[in-house]
Every structure is written in structure tokens, then in C-alpha cells.
Amino acid sequence: MSKNHKPLVSDTALMKRIKDVIRLEADTVRAQLQVVDRHYVRAVRLITQCRGRVVVLGVGKSGLIARKITATLASTGTPSIFVHPSEGMHGDLGMITPIDLVLALSYSGETDELKRLLPSIKAMAVPLIGITGRAHSRLAKNSTVALTVSVKREACHYNLTPTTSTTTMLAVGDALAMAVMDARGFRAEDFARLHPGGILGKRLLWTVKDVMHKGRETPIVRQDQSVRQALDVMTRTRLGATCVVDRRGRLTGYFTDGDFRRLAPREPLILKQRVETVMTAKPHVVSPDIRLGEAAELLRRYRCDNMPVVDARGKPIGVLDERDLLSEGIL
């Protein structure tokens, strides 16, 4: 901006405007608490009892909120799809089956594209939940359950731009989705199943064997080998530790670079010593089949950088390293 041109609105005025809008939207959503009644409960029951999908409809800004509600329902265990009313007029209404439920959003309740669909939805005899700002609108009158989201005004100076109304619709949609979760008994494990790529999914679905170092990456030395040989193995595998095993290959100890640094100043001949004389006997171990979330807690509890992974016979088959958990967002 040129130095010769003053801004039309000062920074202070802009900050005030931002705070005013946030305050207005927060107050409007809070006011919605006063209208929550048995109709909301009935809406939740209808969604919970639906044997098909929740088909969500909306146009314009309400359509954008409808898309978000669709995604929230789907990600929390309620099969749902978004259908644009305009496309519904040209064949997409065929996506609605007799076992589905329709959730329609329109603040005015008189959106032309949506009104044209109402007779067809009624003929299908599927439940219709309407979210609207007008209790006597066409949408409300044709709904099995109508939820009112009336707001005093939009945040726009001209009371035109959908702002407080769409924010309130979004809050109501989130509230319905969360209540449906409770009604279904939806658990964290169910959420993880639907979000396998997310951190929660990894914590609850992935196991140690999915990320552990194995095969040639597993540092192993016999207990009768020297510390120098143990260091060679640790250097090759770059984990800063090695499993120590007996003649049968069963884990008897664990030796780390931290152990070496602590002992070296007072043990000048440490490199020639047998590793069994300086190792940590009976170290903490982890099973390859436990979930990553549980394994992460074990690393925290025992303050370990890494931990041997052993099979049912007590033989080391890998190493779980905290850096791998960090890279996956688990720690």
C-alpha cells in the first residue's frame, strides 16, 4: 500500500470487528441451548435406527455445512452421503433407498431446489430431518422432525452473508453426530477402524511387528562375545544397543551405548570384557503382537530409547525404537 494512502479502516477497528464477530457467533451458538428439546432426541433416535444411510442435502453455504456434517457422521460410524439438490432433480435422487434417512439443511426452509425435491422425498416414505431457521417454512412442515436454528442476525453488517446461521447449523450437526455416537456405543476402537491412517488408528490397530527393526537390522551378540564385538554390531545396526543371547538364542540381557559410556571411564579394559559382565540382565522386553499405543506407554514408563522384541520362546526377533514411533506420530 502506498505511503500516501491511509487505510480505510484502522488496525484497532479491524481487531474490534473480528472480536465482535467471534463474540456474536459464540453467543448465538450458546443461545441454541435454549431450543434443544425432545425433537432433538427424536432426531438422534431416527438416525440411530436408520438401517441405510443418512442422505444429507443442502444448497450454497448450507450445502457446505451439509458436506461437513456428512463427513462427521461417516467418520463416527454412521454411513452417510451428500447429494446436491440440483443434481437430485436430475437423477441423483436415485441414491436414496427405502431404508435411508434424509437430513436437509436450509436456513430459510424455502430454498427453491430443495422445495422441488420435497414431494419426491415424501413419496419415498423415508424419514426427513430438517434443520432450518423458520419453524413454519416448507421444509419444516414437510419434515418428520424439524430442528430450528433461528438466529437474531448474521454477523454481516447488512444481515445478509450466512455467518451466525451456518455456524449454528454446524454446531447442531456436530451435536447430533456426537449424540448418535453415544447412542450407538461408538468406541475409540471403532473410530480407529475408520481412521487407519490417523494417529489413533496407528495406536490402536498397528502392532509392534508393524514398525520394529527385524532381520539383519536386529542387533544380536552372544553373551560370551566381547564388548568390542558388541560395539561393532551396534555400529552396523545404528540402534545404539544390542540384544545379548545365550547359546540357544534366548535373550539374557541388553547392552546400550549408554552403558558403555558410563563404564568406560572406570573400566580401561572394557573392550576386551565379555559382554555378559556389563550387560543389563533381564531387560524390559515387548511382544511383537501388542498394540503400538501400549508399547509407547512401556517405553515411557521404563524411560527406554528402544526395547528388545521377543517371541514366545524368549528369543529376540527385533527391536522397537522410539524414533520409529516418533516418525509415525505415536510419541
Side-chain angles (χ1 to χ4, degrees):
M1 180 178 292
S2 171
K3 294 181 179 179
N4 297 325
H5 290 84
K6 292 182 61 177
L8 295 177
V9 183
S10 68
D11 290 357
T12 300
L14 290 176
M15 289 178 62
K16 180 179 183 303
R17 177 63 172 147
I18 291 169
K19 290 181 179 180
D20 287 345
V21 172
I22 293 173
R23 186 178 299 108
L24 175 61
E25 296 209 356
D27 290 344
T28 302
V29 171
R30 188 176 297 109
Q32 192 65 27
L33 293 171
Q34 305 303 317
V35 301
V36 174
D37 56 14
R38 58 184 177 81
H39 294 97
Y40 280 74
V41 175
R42 189 182 177 199
V44 171
R45 298 299 185 198
L46 285 173
I47 296 173
T48 305
Q49 294 162 9
C50 176
R51 294 181 294 114
R53 302 163 302 177
V54 175
V55 181
V56 191
L57 310 176
V59 178
K61 303 298 187 296
S62 294
L64 295 174
I65 300 301
R67 290 178 186 274
K68 194 277 179 185
I69 293 173
T70 302
T72 300
L73 287 169
S75 70
T76 53
T78 299
S80 58
I81 60 170
F82 172 80
V83 174
H84 195 287
S86 294
E87 299 300 330
M89 292 295 298
H90 298 281
D92 279 8
L93 211 59
M95 294 183 180
I96 304 175
T97 72
I99 61 173
D100 291 338
L101 174 148
V102 175
L103 174 63
L105 282 69
S106 170
Y107 185 71
S108 69
E110 302 291 344
T111 305
D112 190 56
E113 298 93 332
L114 193 55
K115 285 195 300 183
R116 293 181 183 183
L117 291 183
L118 292 177
S120 297
I121 294 172
K122 188 173 183 179
M124 292 177 179
V126 295
L128 170 61
I129 299 173
I131 299 181
T132 177
R134 298 178 180 176
H136 302 291
S137 63
R138 185 82 61 91
L139 174 58
K141 291 178 179 178
N142 283 272
S143 295
T144 309
V145 177
L147 305 180
T148 304
V149 290
S150 181
V151 301
K152 290 183 178 180
R153 64 170 291 109
E154 303 288 3
C156 168
H157 280 309
Y158 310 108
N159 197 29
L160 296 173
T161 307
T163 45
T164 52
S165 58
T166 48
T167 299
T168 306
M169 279 185 172
L170 179 60
V172 169
D174 285 343
L176 291 177
M178 298 302 101
V180 169
M181 278 181 63
D182 291 352
R184 290 188 188 280
F186 194 80
R187 302 166 302 167
E189 289 79 3
D190 300 314
F191 188 91
R193 177 175 51 82
L194 298 176
H195 299 75
I199 292 176
L200 181 59
K202 293 175 183 178
R203 289 183 64 90
L204 296 179
L205 298 180
W206 290 21
T207 60
V208 168
K209 62 187 175 187
D210 292 319
V211 299
M212 72 182 189
H213 295 259
K214 54 190 174 183
R216 286 184 52 80
E217 295 181 357
T218 306
I220 298 177
V221 295
R222 296 191 315 275
Q223 60 189 22
D224 59 353
Q225 289 184 281
S226 69
V227 170
R228 182 186 296 278
Q229 290 172 306
L231 291 178
D232 289 341
V233 171
M234 290 161 60
T235 300
R236 175 178 60 80
T237 54
R238 300 181 180 181
L239 288 176
T242 183
C243 302
V244 184
V245 299
D246 60 19
R247 290 182 179 181
R248 296 182 180 180
R250 294 175 301 189
L251 186 75
T252 58
Y254 203 52
F255 184 64
T256 70
D257 55 5
D259 295 329
F260 177 75
R261 289 195 300 271
R262 284 190 294 272
L263 293 169
R266 63 175 186 269
E267 298 284 348
L269 301 179
I270 188 174
L271 293 178
K272 296 182 179 180
Q273 289 183 236
R274 289 160 60 107
V275 71
E276 65 180 341
T277 65
V278 294
M279 70 182 186
T280 298
K282 298 180 179 180
H284 299 297
V285 298
V286 65
S287 163
D289 298 316
I290 72 168
R291 295 174 176 176
L292 280 191
E294 183 179 348
E297 292 305 316
L298 290 175
L299 287 176
R300 281 200 190 96
R301 184 187 310 165
Y302 299 125
R303 298 180 180 179
C304 298
D305 294 332
N306 46 47
M307 193 177 289
V309 183
V310 299
D311 62 16
R313 296 173 297 176
K315 294 184 176 182
I317 58 174
V319 171
L320 177 67
D321 191 78
E322 71 169 1
R323 288 171 296 183
D324 298 311
L325 298 183
L326 284 168
S327 67
E328 295 294 344
I330 306 299
L331 284 176

